[in-house]
């Protein structure tokens, strides 16, 4: 059976009447595998159930037109570290900006390696102050308002 495709406003229409994005069809063909070496992993003393530790390598499948921030989002799911606490560098130590596309990163290509540095600040402990013994003040205030009706 012959399949007829036509492109209308960036959308590919197939003979089965299913809509597919022309961009997604081309993007499905090219995926990069980026190896992420966890260089430092400081979670700020927070206990996390996670199998990844410093020194290990995680492979992430991602499109080459994706940004460093998109890579950080995928890494965040794997290592349980928010994107704002992550820094991504190449093996030479050059840090990549969040809006830099992977294809534009110096020294990075398909099956290339980047270094992950996680530095999460320590969680502040809240100090709970004891309540004062001023029940007699509240009792006096209740007597003053006894004559006024509630709305």
């Amino acid at each position: 059976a012959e399949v007829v495709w036509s492109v209308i406003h960036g959308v590919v229409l197939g003979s089965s009447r299913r809509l597919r994005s022309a961009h997604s069809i081309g993007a499905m063909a090219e995926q990069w595998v980026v190896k992420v070496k966890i260089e430092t992993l400081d979670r700020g003393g927070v206990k996390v159930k996670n199998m990844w530790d410093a020194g290990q390598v995680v492979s992430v499948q991602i499109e080459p037109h994706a940004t460093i921030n998109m890579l950080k989002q995928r890494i965040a799911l794997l290592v349980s570290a928010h994107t704002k606490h992550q820094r991504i560098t190449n093996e030479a130590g050059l840090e990549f900006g969040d809006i830099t596309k992977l294809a534009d990163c110096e020294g990075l290509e398909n099956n290339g390696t980047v270094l992950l540095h996680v530095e999460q600040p320590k969680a502040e402990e809240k100090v709970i102050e004891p309540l004062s013994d001023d029940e007699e003040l509240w009792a006096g205030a209740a007597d003053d308002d006894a004559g006024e009706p509630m709305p």
Side-chain angles (χ1 to χ4, degrees):
E2 184 178 318
V3 178
V4 178
W5 297 96
S6 60
V7 179
I8 302 172
H9 300 291
V11 175
V12 178
L13 301 173
S15 61
S16 63
R17 300 283 184 220
R18 287 186 291 167
L19 297 177
R20 294 182 186 163
S21 164
H23 178 71
S24 68
I25 289 173
M28 286 190 300
E30 187 174 8
Q31 288 274 316
W32 276 14
V33 174
V34 177
K35 296 173 190 160
V36 180
K37 182 177 181 187
I38 304 170
E39 194 72 11
T40 57
L41 187 58
D42 178 11
R43 291 195 175 110
V46 176
K47 300 284 185 206
V48 177
K49 290 184 178 181
N50 195 291
M51 64 185 265
W52 302 108
D53 290 317
Q56 293 182 312
V57 177
V58 180
S59 292
V60 178
Q61 211 174 21
I62 194 163
E63 298 82 14
H65 64 269
T67 62
I68 289 293
N69 191 43
M70 295 165 85
L71 177 64
K72 284 182 176 182
Q73 290 173 6
R74 294 202 183 173
I75 294 169
L77 296 173
L78 295 172
V79 299
S80 300
H82 196 278
T83 58
K84 66 183 177 185
H85 304 303
Q86 298 178 29
R87 285 187 314 111
I88 304 282
T89 63
N90 63 8
E91 293 177 318
L94 175 67
E95 185 172 343
F96 299 126
D98 283 348
I99 58 171
T100 306
K101 291 186 178 184
L102 296 177
D104 298 337
C105 291
E106 184 179 326
L108 182 61
E109 56 189 28
N110 190 15
N111 291 314
T113 302
V114 294
L115 304 179
L116 171 68
H117 306 273
V118 176
E119 295 154 11
Q120 184 172 334
K122 293 191 184 283
E124 292 183 21
E125 293 184 22
K126 293 184 180 180
V127 178
I128 300 174
E129 297 180 17
L131 296 175
S132 64
D133 296 329
D134 60 1
E135 288 85 17
E136 57 274 350
L137 292 175
W138 284 101
D143 293 338
D144 293 342
D145 294 335
E148 295 180 27
M150 296 290 287

